[in-house]
Amino acid sequence: MRIGTEISRRPRGRPRSFTTSEVLERVRAVFMEKGFAAASLDELAEAAGLNRPSLYAAFGDKEQLYIHALRVYGEKSVVGLDAILGGKGTIERRLGQVYKAAIELYTAPPNAQGCMIVGTATVEAPTRPRIAAAAIELLNAIEQSFERAFARAVRDGELAREPTPAARARMAGAALDTLAIRARIGAKPSDLRAFAASMIPAICR
């Protein structure tokens, strides 16, 4: 689900109008570059194009702002997954398309930043339970998208009933997480593609 709500806030002076999804995408870029802890409120406000009172009035404190950005990122990810996995072709082909799209996203210039959930939420989760809960919710949604695709493949006779669609979904999600981690630490796209190609037969056996 993409969020594009137009919001006006009046913390001080004249009203400021903005598109929620655009603001959250800009602050997400700061969180991805700096991490949650190192991203300052001034940097976030500047990226958002809002003053700090306006940013707080619209999204709450820094943690709430991060969670808003994380959820929009996760929701877009699930929409993208559903679009690919619900398309035509064999399950192996569709799974390959998912990993190809993920690798392109994770290694996009100027910096290969990986996945927001894996790369930043995991760092804060031990001491920030609200961030942990939001990340788990999104990871579960991603696994459910995979599970729906594998259940379809079982119904279509492409895959055996065992391992179950849920088990295959966990393997597919774990491979996606691994791609994000490897991208974050600088693995070459060619190496990521080779890793993904090696995982697809194991998942779809």
Side-chain angles (χ1 to χ4, degrees):
M1 181 187 303
R2 296 194 64 173
I3 299 176
T5 307
E6 295 287 345
I7 296 180
S8 294
R9 290 289 183 262
R10 297 173 181 251
R12 292 178 187 174
R14 60 182 181 145
R16 298 292 301 273
S17 296
F18 57 87
T19 303
T20 302
S21 59
E22 292 177 0
V23 169
L24 292 176
E25 179 60 28
R26 292 196 294 266
V27 300
R28 185 189 74 82
V30 177
F31 283 129
M32 287 296 293
E33 179 183 357
K34 303 276 188 176
F36 174 83
S40 72
L41 287 173
D42 286 338
E43 289 171 323
L44 294 166
E46 181 180 0
L50 300 169
N51 58 38
R52 286 175 58 168
S54 295
L55 193 64
Y56 184 86
F59 301 106
D61 64 16
K62 181 180 171 182
E63 182 177 86
Q64 290 170 312
L65 175 63
Y66 175 88
I67 291 171
H68 281 300
L70 179 67
R71 283 180 171 153
V72 169
Y73 172 83
E75 288 164 1
K76 287 181 179 179
S77 297
V78 172
V79 168
L81 271 177
D82 285 342
I84 296 172
L85 293 172
K88 297 179 180 179
T90 65
I91 185 62
E92 290 92 344
R93 180 175 180 274
R94 286 177 279 138
L95 191 57
Q97 290 175 325
V98 166
Y99 291 144
K100 178 178 182 292
I103 291 166
E104 290 174 353
L105 175 66
Y106 296 161
T107 60
N111 300 309
Q113 296 182 331
C115 166
M116 185 178 185
I117 302 170
V118 174
T120 66
T122 53
V123 177
E124 305 303 326
T127 57
R128 293 186 177 273
R130 290 190 298 177
I131 289 178
I136 290 170
E137 178 184 339
L138 294 174
L139 289 173
N140 286 341
I142 289 169
E143 281 192 7
Q144 288 164 9
S145 181
F146 279 125
E147 186 173 353
R148 288 190 293 270
F150 290 125
R152 169 188 162 187
V154 170
R155 290 193 304 270
D156 291 347
E158 284 190 84
L159 295 176
R161 294 186 177 275
E162 295 294 336
T164 65
R168 294 181 195 273
R170 288 191 288 272
M171 289 188 283
L176 193 63
D177 295 342
T178 301
L179 288 171
I181 294 168
R182 293 186 178 204
R184 183 78 166 179
I185 61 176
K188 296 178 181 178
S190 58
D191 292 337
L192 297 176
R193 290 191 291 269
F195 173 82
S198 72
M199 293 301 299
I200 292 171
I203 295 167
C204 298
R205 70 182 188 277

